[in-house]
Amino acid sequence: MRKKIWIPATLIAAAAVGFFGFLPGYVEGSMNQIDGKPLIAVSDEAKELHQTLTIVDLHSDSLMWDRDITERASRGHMDLPRLQEGNVALQLFSSVTKTPKGQNYDGNGADSDNITLLTVAQLQPVKTWNSLVERSLYHAEKLRAAVARQRVSVYNDRNLVPWFLVDDALGVAKIAEYHGPDAPPPDHPFPRGAMLTIEGLHNLEGKAANLDRLYDAGFRMAGLTHFFDNELAGSMHGLKKGGLTPFGRDIVRRMEAKGMIIDIAHLSHTGVAEVLAMATRPVVSSHGGVQATCKVNRNLTDDEVRGVAKTGGVIGIGYWDGALCSTDPRAAAKAMKHVRDLVGIQFVALGSDYDGATTVRFDTSQLVQVTQALMDEGFTTAEIRAVMGENALRVIRAGLVPRASAQ
């Protein structure tokens, strides 16, 4: 009798070890890949220029995965050591709370969710298993804890720079002060920033009061939708792909008043037009491409590019196939060139979508690939500085000022 009980118990224990111990890492490793194709040859000139840039990446999904982002990982695209090697001054970290099964760019319902299984498998707090807002609050806690751990050990056994959370214009100014061509001599580690964003405000769970909770937790930019239609608006990947709802319009106004930047990535084309029409502050497209160089429905049309520029915002160009129809960094440079030629250099930025279930050519430690591609495309040094971070810093600094103070 004991033997009969012992055998099933052993099998259950082995299954649990496999599920909780190996599955999360396996899933991430299979979904966030580097394709291994040849990289661009990088010149000494590009390397020297790259080290003087103030680099800002508007989007990564690294907080979704079960690993310590202060430690170098053998999987994924980003962690703090690799951010330092890539000379990234400010990284925006997105909170992903729900994705549909069979996710695709053309049409997804909201009646399924891959992230629930992931939260359970990663042994996240039970309160995150059935609450989207709690998942985002957990991501905020996770990033704060990572920053705290890194601060304690930065001057000890790790050659890492001080890291801090950016949640106001003063934090952006600190990044600008210590990076770029006019930065002080590097006689001590330069600070690098992390900022919290949201991939789809379905995590409000239909309650405007949750926007306050998310703001208080440190979130400063948010996309209205992700891969499915929600209570605020239609997604470009949803079933109806409609425009803003009354609730969505209310949230847009609340975000502008609070100093939360509106992100139109993944929003339906009708929704994009409506946001751009009502926006009174700079709007961001945090990660994606342009249809002129890659005709995929998630990418921006020329009219949408003009609309974002009219608000004074920026367009973050990603590095994966869905944004570029390629993973070649030259394709990213060509998309950036199109935006520059259409509306001006001041509206171009970086939006990698690293660790967002994407396959790319290079990880964040190899961002000099973009610098070289821009040089090869004929961008001037001043234009490269603008694209790689100065444009994004300008928009973030302006966007984080609450309405009452924006005078």
Side-chain angles (χ1 to χ4, degrees):
M1 183 69 176
R2 289 180 181 177
K3 185 175 181 181
K4 291 181 180 179
I5 295 174
W6 178 82
I7 292 175
T10 302
L11 293 175
I12 292 171
V17 169
F19 183 74
F20 296 112
F22 300 106
L23 181 62
Y26 172 79
V27 171
E28 183 191 2
S30 65
M31 297 182 74
N32 297 318
Q33 296 189 343
I34 296 172
D35 63 18
K37 295 180 181 179
L39 297 172
I40 299 174
V42 177
S43 66
D44 291 340
E45 181 184 4
K47 292 176 183 177
E48 291 174 7
L49 173 59
H50 190 82
Q51 290 306 310
T52 70
L53 301 176
T54 305
I55 300 174
V56 179
D57 180 5
L58 291 171
H59 191 90
S60 82
D61 292 332
S62 307
L63 295 178
M64 180 168 51
W65 307 105
D66 185 25
R67 55 184 169 90
D68 183 349
I69 56 176
T70 69
E71 301 284 355
R72 182 181 298 279
S74 59
R75 63 179 186 264
H77 307 138
M78 176 182 297
D79 46 54
L80 183 53
R82 285 185 280 180
L83 284 167
Q84 181 177 342
E85 290 174 10
N87 194 34
V88 177
L90 175 60
Q91 178 62 54
L92 277 63
F93 289 91
S94 180
S95 172
V96 179
T97 59
K98 179 176 176 177
T99 62
K101 294 180 180 178
Q103 179 176 297
N104 62 84
Y105 282 164
D106 298 318
N108 302 275
D111 56 350
S112 63
D113 178 25
N114 294 316
I115 304 298
T116 296
L117 180 61
L118 191 64
T119 62
V120 175
Q122 293 181 163
L123 295 177
Q124 291 181 195
V126 173
K127 62 184 178 181
T128 69
W129 293 7
N130 296 303
S131 170
L132 303 185
V133 69
E134 289 294 346
R135 290 176 190 177
S136 285
L137 295 175
Y138 170 75
H139 289 153
E141 293 172 6
K142 182 177 179 179
L143 184 59
R144 289 183 183 279
V147 168
R149 285 195 305 276
Q150 180 264 330
R151 278 182 175 274
V152 169
S153 61
V154 64
Y155 292 111
N156 298 328
D157 60 336
R158 303 185 197 177
N159 183 28
L160 296 176
V161 296
W163 208 26
F164 71 103
L165 288 175
V166 173
D167 58 9
D168 58 21
L170 292 177
V172 178
K174 185 176 180 182
I175 292 293
E177 177 184 359
Y178 281 96
H179 294 269
D182 299 323
D187 55 352
H188 58 81
F190 287 172
R192 299 183 190 273
M195 186 173 135
L196 285 161
T197 73
I198 295 167
E199 185 119 60
L201 282 173
H202 43 270
N203 66 349
L204 294 178
E205 299 177 342
K207 301 175 183 177
N210 278 333
L211 188 68
D212 295 330
R213 296 179 67 192
L214 294 166
Y215 183 88
D216 291 344
F219 289 95
R220 291 297 182 267
M221 184 166 82
L224 302 184
T225 63
H226 196 197
F227 270 90
F228 48 88
D229 305 329
N230 63 28
E231 302 96 334
L232 292 87
S235 164
M236 64 177 64
H237 324 291
L239 297 179
K240 295 184 177 179
K241 301 179 175 63
L244 295 175
T245 66
F247 180 60
R249 291 180 178 275
D250 178 52
I251 292 300
V252 167
R253 287 188 287 266
R254 288 171 183 261
M255 289 177 65
E256 289 197 327
K258 293 178 76 65
M260 288 184 76
I261 299 166
I262 297 166
D263 180 7
I264 59 169
H266 293 289
L267 186 60
S268 70
H269 293 293
T270 300
V272 168
E274 292 177 351
V275 166
L276 295 177
M278 70 179 293
T280 61
R281 307 192 74 172
V283 170
V284 165
S285 176
S286 65
H287 61 298
V290 291
Q291 291 198 10
T293 63
C294 178
K295 196 168 180 58
V296 174
N297 74 322
R298 70 148 294 145
N299 291 339
L300 299 182
T301 66
D302 281 357
D303 283 345
E304 289 168 340
V305 171
R306 293 187 187 98
V308 172
K310 188 175 180 180
T311 72
V314 288
I315 296 157
I317 301 297
Y319 316 140
W320 78 103
D321 183 74
L324 302 176
C325 295
S326 171
T327 59
D328 191 327
R330 296 179 186 87
K334 290 184 184 302
M336 294 171 187
K337 182 177 184 295
H338 177 77
V339 176
R340 181 199 67 181
D341 294 347
L342 184 67
V343 292
I345 191 65
Q346 65 268 40
F347 306 112
V348 191
L350 307 181
S352 68
D353 203 16
Y354 279 146
D355 292 332
T358 53
T359 297
V360 296
R361 184 71 54 89
F362 52 92
D363 69 14
T364 196
S365 70
Q366 300 167 309
L367 278 180
V368 70
Q369 288 285 304
V370 178
T371 301
Q372 183 68 61
L374 291 171
M375 291 176 67
D376 293 346
E377 200 62 40
F379 282 63
T380 67
T381 295
E383 288 176 331
I384 293 171
R385 292 191 187 284
V387 169
M388 296 296 282
E390 290 177 356
N391 292 339
L393 275 187
R394 181 193 73 248
V395 170
I396 293 169
R397 179 184 289 179
L400 296 190
V401 180
R403 176 72 74 195
S405 303
Q407 302 294 335

